[in-house]
Amino acid sequence: MKILFATSEAHPLIKTGGLADVSGSLPSAYTKLKNHVKLVLPAYGDIWEKVTVVRELTDFMVGGCNRDVHVRVFKAKAEGLQTPVWLVDVPDLFNRPGNPYLSPEGDDWWDNGERYAVFSKAVVEIAMNRVGLDWQPDVVHTNDWQTGLVPALLTLEPKRPQTLFTIHNMAYAGLFPKSLFESLQLPWHWWTPEGIEFYGNMSMLKAGILMSDWVNTVSPTYAKEICFPEYAYGMEGVLQQRQDEGRLVGILNGIDQDVWNPKKDHYIRRHYDSEKGRVAAKKENKKDLLRFWDLPEEVIESPTPVVGFVGRLVPQKGIDLVLEVIHDVLEQTDARFVFVGSGSANYEYALSELAHQYPNRVMVYIGYSEALAHKVEAGADMFLMPSRFEPCGLNQMYSLAYGTLPIVHHTGGLADTVVNATEENIKEGTATGFMFYDPSSHALKSTLLHALFLYTKTRTWQKIQKTGMSVDFGWKKSAKQYLDLFKKTDKKNKE
Ligand code: ADP
Ligand code: GLC
């Protein structure tokens, strides 16, 4: 099959979170299964230095906000990406440094609506093979609100490729005022509650959900959760509708085993696997992680457990719960904590304060560091992921692969990937981590204390580590599930 994979971020070119990890690895998994894939994304300012531009492929015009916008498409290659990249270049909209969605002040770019509408329109032109590229995809795989207009606009085309819209997070609805809808000259009949209007605004997320052939989200549990108001932010109706049509499915994300693999991770000090040298290597990696903070040598050498956290500092990730319980846990145990993250200023401040209050016990890095993220996975003993909701979550799978026991809330992909260390599961040899069922500070605290207690039972701990490390979270199985969906649609269309 020919698959056009449209995304707003892809590792290693540009990344704010898990969407980039998925976009950097699922297309390669499609390729390995003998499909032809092109990865299309906006040419942001920081991308140019990460790619080798092969050549300019084409240029054309699409409609922006009451104006025509000149689009150029470049073919590029990047180290670590097996898939050919097509960069959609509109300097005026995308050639800005840093975070793709936010200005340096941390606010959404004022013109995000036009930026991603133009990107989506460019993807549609490519998908329809109208811009001289001589390549007609069978499927367009779109991701999150930034590409939500692609499946919608393709419904207006008589002979078009199939579309799939993947929801990575319902919390980002891609909402814009009616004035944007008008200036983009979208079809007026879409402006209804049954269309892409959403309580007085337009929603690009809703456009993708409503008008694609298939909708999926990134874990089976989240696919069920989002049909309820608690997780759907007002879109439960349209999601239930797609579910009733049999068009909403959950496919668990995979992980890139070339990048997140303790056997060959080039960011970590000592390589290891579930069989060989795991215990000694993790000890070395723990010291290497702690050395980042320039701690006294006796602190670095200390055998006390290290609990890690890496993630966006937003309410989704349950960081407020951690802040509520950490004082008690520090008082009652000898645990140490390492936090790597950036996001809301209040959480960044609270974590920095903690580091001051508990020197040598709480280590904090505010910012984005790919290297530290890998070092935490390899060097920590446990990984905290108390997310209130988690469409899939990749870090808990990385943790499992690295023998770093995850402590998670029972939700979304966390529920689908971690097996709770109950006595029964430990006995049966299926336990891989720790799970709590109520997103409260009380539940988190008791689970964390339980995990720290179990850490002292070395044999049991090592057994759990080993079980987690032997689970295969690679992309093969999930990529096949995506391809099966595409084949189903193809068959239906031929009937
Ligand atoms: P989400 O996409 O909701 O942020 P995921 O668990 O799916 O959550 O993916 C997060 C990805 O982003 C992981 O690869 C994680 O290591 C990375 N990440 C998040 N914050 C940081 C950070 N501050 N520094 C380095 N990597 C980070
Ligand atoms: C989103 C979700 C996360 C998921 C990632 C990749 O950012 O928050 O749970 O793993 O997308 O699908």
Short mmCIF file of all heavy atoms in Angstrom, two decimals, residues 460-484:
data_model
loop_
_atom_site.label_atom_id
_atom_site.label_comp_id
_atom_site.label_asym_id
_atom_site.label_seq_id
_atom_site.Cartn_x
_atom_site.Cartn_y
_atom_site.Cartn_z
N THR A 460 12.25 -10.68 44.66
CA THR A 460 10.94 -10.40 44.05
C THR A 460 11.08 -9.25 43.06
O THR A 460 10.57 -9.30 41.93
CB THR A 460 9.92 -9.99 45.15
OG1 THR A 460 9.94 -10.98 46.14
CG2 THR A 460 8.54 -9.81 44.59
N TRP A 461 11.79 -8.21 43.46
CA TRP A 461 11.97 -7.03 42.60
C TRP A 461 12.60 -7.44 41.27
O TRP A 461 12.14 -7.06 40.19
CB TRP A 461 12.87 -6.02 43.32
CG TRP A 461 12.91 -4.69 42.64
CD1 TRP A 461 13.83 -4.26 41.73
CD2 TRP A 461 11.96 -3.62 42.80
NE1 TRP A 461 13.52 -2.99 41.31
CE2 TRP A 461 12.39 -2.58 41.95
CE3 TRP A 461 10.81 -3.46 43.56
CZ2 TRP A 461 11.69 -1.37 41.85
CZ3 TRP A 461 10.12 -2.25 43.46
CH2 TRP A 461 10.56 -1.23 42.61
N GLN A 462 13.63 -8.25 41.37
CA GLN A 462 14.33 -8.63 40.13
C GLN A 462 13.47 -9.50 39.23
O GLN A 462 13.56 -9.44 38.01
CB GLN A 462 15.65 -9.32 40.49
CG GLN A 462 16.61 -8.32 41.11
CD GLN A 462 17.97 -8.90 41.39
OE1 GLN A 462 18.21 -10.08 41.19
NE2 GLN A 462 18.88 -8.08 41.87
N LYS A 463 12.62 -10.29 39.86
CA LYS A 463 11.71 -11.12 39.06
C LYS A 463 10.73 -10.21 38.28
O LYS A 463 10.49 -10.42 37.08
CB LYS A 463 10.95 -12.04 40.02
CG LYS A 463 10.02 -13.01 39.36
CD LYS A 463 9.41 -13.95 40.40
CE LYS A 463 8.17 -14.62 39.84
NZ LYS A 463 7.44 -15.36 40.85
N ILE A 464 10.21 -9.21 38.97
CA ILE A 464 9.27 -8.29 38.30
C ILE A 464 9.98 -7.54 37.17
O ILE A 464 9.45 -7.41 36.05
CB ILE A 464 8.67 -7.29 39.32
CG1 ILE A 464 7.98 -8.03 40.46
CG2 ILE A 464 7.70 -6.33 38.65
CD1 ILE A 464 7.46 -7.12 41.58
N GLN A 465 11.19 -7.08 37.46
CA GLN A 465 11.99 -6.38 36.44
C GLN A 465 12.12 -7.23 35.18
O GLN A 465 11.90 -6.76 34.06
CB GLN A 465 13.42 -6.20 36.98
CG GLN A 465 13.72 -4.88 37.58
CD GLN A 465 15.20 -4.80 37.95
OE1 GLN A 465 15.86 -5.79 38.26
NE2 GLN A 465 15.72 -3.59 37.94
N LYS A 466 12.47 -8.47 35.40
CA LYS A 466 12.73 -9.37 34.29
C LYS A 466 11.46 -9.61 33.45
O LYS A 466 11.51 -9.63 32.22
CB LYS A 466 13.25 -10.70 34.84
CG LYS A 466 14.36 -11.26 34.03
CD LYS A 466 14.99 -12.43 34.71
CE LYS A 466 15.61 -13.28 33.64
NZ LYS A 466 16.34 -14.40 34.14
N THR A 467 10.34 -9.77 34.16
CA THR A 467 9.08 -9.99 33.43
C THR A 467 8.79 -8.78 32.53
O THR A 467 8.46 -8.93 31.35
CB THR A 467 7.91 -10.18 34.42
OG1 THR A 467 8.27 -11.16 35.37
CG2 THR A 467 6.64 -10.60 33.70
N GLY A 468 8.92 -7.57 33.09
CA GLY A 468 8.65 -6.36 32.31
C GLY A 468 9.57 -6.25 31.10
O GLY A 468 9.14 -5.88 30.01
N MET A 469 10.83 -6.59 31.33
CA MET A 469 11.81 -6.44 30.24
C MET A 469 11.57 -7.44 29.12
O MET A 469 12.02 -7.23 27.99
CB MET A 469 13.23 -6.62 30.79
CG MET A 469 13.67 -5.45 31.64
SD MET A 469 15.34 -5.63 32.26
CE MET A 469 16.31 -5.11 30.86
N SER A 470 10.86 -8.53 29.43
CA SER A 470 10.65 -9.52 28.36
C SER A 470 9.39 -9.25 27.53
O SER A 470 9.16 -9.94 26.54
CB SER A 470 10.55 -10.94 28.92
OG SER A 470 11.03 -11.01 30.21
N VAL A 471 8.59 -8.27 27.91
CA VAL A 471 7.40 -7.98 27.09
C VAL A 471 7.85 -7.26 25.82
O VAL A 471 8.69 -6.36 25.89
CB VAL A 471 6.40 -7.09 27.86
CG1 VAL A 471 5.13 -6.89 27.05
CG2 VAL A 471 6.06 -7.69 29.22
N ASP A 472 7.31 -7.67 24.69
CA ASP A 472 7.69 -7.03 23.43
C ASP A 472 6.71 -5.90 23.09
O ASP A 472 5.57 -6.15 22.73
CB ASP A 472 7.69 -8.08 22.31
CG ASP A 472 8.11 -7.48 20.97
OD1 ASP A 472 8.45 -6.28 20.94
OD2 ASP A 472 8.12 -8.21 19.97
N PHE A 473 7.18 -4.65 23.22
CA PHE A 473 6.32 -3.52 22.89
C PHE A 473 6.65 -2.92 21.52
O PHE A 473 6.31 -1.79 21.24
CB PHE A 473 6.42 -2.43 23.97
CG PHE A 473 5.74 -2.79 25.26
CD1 PHE A 473 6.47 -3.03 26.41
CD2 PHE A 473 4.36 -2.90 25.32
CE1 PHE A 473 5.84 -3.37 27.61
CE2 PHE A 473 3.72 -3.24 26.51
CZ PHE A 473 4.46 -3.47 27.66
N GLY A 474 7.35 -3.68 20.70
CA GLY A 474 7.71 -3.19 19.36
C GLY A 474 6.46 -2.89 18.52
O GLY A 474 5.35 -3.25 18.87
N TRP A 475 6.70 -2.28 17.36
CA TRP A 475 5.59 -1.80 16.53
C TRP A 475 4.90 -2.87 15.68
O TRP A 475 3.81 -2.63 15.16
CB TRP A 475 6.09 -0.70 15.59
CG TRP A 475 5.88 0.67 16.13
CD1 TRP A 475 6.85 1.56 16.52
CD2 TRP A 475 4.62 1.33 16.32
NE1 TRP A 475 6.26 2.72 16.96
CE2 TRP A 475 4.90 2.61 16.84
CE3 TRP A 475 3.29 0.97 16.13
CZ2 TRP A 475 3.90 3.53 17.15
CZ3 TRP A 475 2.29 1.89 16.44
CH2 TRP A 475 2.60 3.14 16.95
N LYS A 476 5.56 -4.01 15.51
CA LYS A 476 5.11 -4.94 14.47
C LYS A 476 3.61 -5.27 14.58
O LYS A 476 2.85 -5.13 13.61
CB LYS A 476 5.94 -6.21 14.54
CG LYS A 476 5.88 -7.02 13.28
CD LYS A 476 6.96 -8.06 13.28
CE LYS A 476 6.75 -8.98 12.09
NZ LYS A 476 7.63 -10.12 12.19
N LYS A 477 3.21 -5.67 15.80
CA LYS A 477 1.83 -6.12 15.97
C LYS A 477 0.84 -4.96 15.70
O LYS A 477 -0.15 -5.12 14.98
CB LYS A 477 1.67 -6.61 17.42
CG LYS A 477 0.38 -7.28 17.70
CD LYS A 477 0.41 -7.98 19.04
CE LYS A 477 -0.99 -8.04 19.60
NZ LYS A 477 -1.02 -8.00 21.05
N SER A 478 1.16 -3.78 16.26
CA SER A 478 0.24 -2.65 16.11
C SER A 478 0.21 -2.15 14.66
O SER A 478 -0.85 -1.79 14.15
CB SER A 478 0.64 -1.51 17.05
OG SER A 478 0.65 -1.98 18.37
N ALA A 479 1.37 -2.13 14.02
CA ALA A 479 1.40 -1.68 12.62
C ALA A 479 0.52 -2.60 11.77
O ALA A 479 -0.21 -2.15 10.88
CB ALA A 479 2.83 -1.67 12.10
N LYS A 480 0.54 -3.90 12.09
CA LYS A 480 -0.31 -4.84 11.34
C LYS A 480 -1.78 -4.53 11.57
O LYS A 480 -2.60 -4.66 10.66
CB LYS A 480 0.00 -6.27 11.77
CG LYS A 480 1.19 -6.83 11.05
CD LYS A 480 1.32 -8.32 11.33
CE LYS A 480 2.55 -8.87 10.63
NZ LYS A 480 3.11 -10.01 11.33
N GLN A 481 -2.12 -4.14 12.81
CA GLN A 481 -3.53 -3.81 13.09
C GLN A 481 -3.98 -2.60 12.26
O GLN A 481 -5.09 -2.56 11.75
CB GLN A 481 -3.72 -3.52 14.58
CG GLN A 481 -3.61 -4.78 15.42
CD GLN A 481 -3.70 -4.48 16.92
OE1 GLN A 481 -3.92 -3.36 17.34
NE2 GLN A 481 -3.53 -5.50 17.72
N TYR A 482 -3.08 -1.61 12.12
CA TYR A 482 -3.42 -0.46 11.27
C TYR A 482 -3.62 -0.91 9.83
O TYR A 482 -4.59 -0.54 9.17
CB TYR A 482 -2.29 0.57 11.30
CG TYR A 482 -2.34 1.53 12.49
CD1 TYR A 482 -1.42 1.45 13.53
CD2 TYR A 482 -3.31 2.52 12.56
CE1 TYR A 482 -1.46 2.33 14.60
CE2 TYR A 482 -3.35 3.41 13.63
CZ TYR A 482 -2.43 3.31 14.65
OH TYR A 482 -2.47 4.18 15.71
N LEU A 483 -2.70 -1.75 9.36
CA LEU A 483 -2.79 -2.19 7.96
C LEU A 483 -4.06 -3.01 7.72
O LEU A 483 -4.69 -2.89 6.66
CB LEU A 483 -1.54 -2.99 7.57
CG LEU A 483 -0.25 -2.15 7.55
CD1 LEU A 483 0.98 -3.04 7.45
CD2 LEU A 483 -0.27 -1.14 6.41
N ASP A 484 -4.46 -3.79 8.73
CA ASP A 484 -5.71 -4.57 8.60
C ASP A 484 -6.90 -3.64 8.42
O ASP A 484 -7.82 -3.92 7.64
CB ASP A 484 -5.92 -5.44 9.83
CG ASP A 484 -5.01 -6.66 9.81
OD1 ASP A 484 -4.42 -6.94 8.75
OD2 ASP A 484 -4.86 -7.32 10.87
#
